[in-house]
Amino acid sequence: MKRLLIAALFVTPILSASLFPTGPVTAEPLTAASLERLLRVPEVDYRLEWVFLGAFSLRADDPDDGAKGLHDVYAPREAVEAYRKTGTFPDGTVLVKDSFLTKTEEMTTGTVSYADHLKGRFVLVRDSTNRNAKNSPLWGDGWGWAFFEGEETEKTVTTDYRKDCLGCHEPVRSQDFLHTQAYPILRR
């Protein structure tokens, strides 16, 4: 899991329809409790309804074996539009990254690797004022952090973001802990 975290926590803003029916701005105030409810894999079909931000491939130990993993990142359109205007995601924005194991084979175009099996999903929730940082070790540095194995959507295996997540994200602290170099759509 540490290697996957080091590879990059690609994030996709995912907004809960019940909390944010039209995007990150809502009549419901953002509280520690409402943010906590967002720290799970969203119920919306984000692969179909959200914007694909970009992908990272993780090279196998032997490059001839292709990729051993693929990370796809998605975000709600409203959150992407807000980011492109301001350079930051609004509070309450949920980012999701699918982490796939890959299959590699020879095709007419050469050796290719593609997503085969969902290993799990990384979720980040924007919390710029760190409302939850004193309540949970999953919150801090402006985000809620969690990894969900396989098809799990609610119970994270992350126990402390400092230990489980910052290894990958510390190198991009100046980019608000996001590996934005893989997300060309966010360039302004």
Side-chain angles (χ1 to χ4, degrees):
M1 182 167 148
K2 193 162 197 141
R3 264 186 95 130
L4 285 175
L5 291 172
I6 291 171
L9 178 55
F10 295 177
V11 284
T12 303
I14 300 172
L15 303 177
S16 166
S18 62
L19 288 176
F20 306 109
T22 61
V25 178
T26 179
E28 181 180 343
L30 286 176
T31 62
S34 66
L35 285 168
E36 190 72 33
R37 287 194 306 270
L38 291 175
L39 193 55
R40 58 185 46 111
V41 177
E43 293 179 14
V44 65
D45 186 350
Y46 58 87
R47 293 178 192 129
L48 180 62
E49 297 183 25
W50 290 355
V51 175
F52 175 67
L53 296 183
F56 279 80
S57 68
L58 304 167
R59 187 181 69 184
D61 294 334
D62 179 350
D64 290 337
D65 292 337
K68 67 178 172 184
L70 183 65
H71 294 175
D72 292 344
V73 182
Y74 300 85
R77 181 166 306 284
E78 296 86 0
V80 171
E81 290 169 356
Y83 186 95
R84 288 174 56 120
K85 288 178 186 170
T86 66
T88 62
F89 286 110
D91 276 359
T93 296
V94 179
L95 306 173
V96 174
K97 175 179 70 175
D98 288 335
S99 175
F100 288 101
L101 297 175
T102 60
K103 184 169 183 175
T104 300
E105 62 182 286
E106 291 299 320
M107 293 188 160
T108 56
T109 56
T111 304
V112 299
S113 299
Y114 52 88
D116 184 47
H117 175 76
L118 182 66
K119 182 171 184 170
R121 290 172 272 207
F122 293 92
V123 174
L124 286 177
V125 177
R126 185 70 173 135
D127 180 20
S128 68
T129 61
N130 292 307
R131 292 170 188 86
N132 282 355
K134 61 184 166 218
N135 301 327
S136 169
L138 301 181
W139 294 83
D141 285 312
W143 296 96
W145 312 72
F147 178 73
F148 300 85
E149 288 184 323
E151 296 294 332
E152 179 60 47
T153 61
E154 294 185 19
K155 185 170 175 28
T156 181
V157 296
T158 305
T159 58
D160 184 330
Y161 87 95
R162 288 171 194 85
K163 158 176 84 82
D164 298 332
C165 305
L166 283 186
C168 292
H169 291 271
E170 188 62 45
V172 290
R173 180 178 284 271
S174 67
Q175 297 170 197
D176 201 17
F177 297 96
L178 303 177
H179 293 269
T180 55
Q181 66 271 30
Y183 314 136
I185 195 168
L186 296 182
R187 296 182 190 137
R188 303 181 293 150

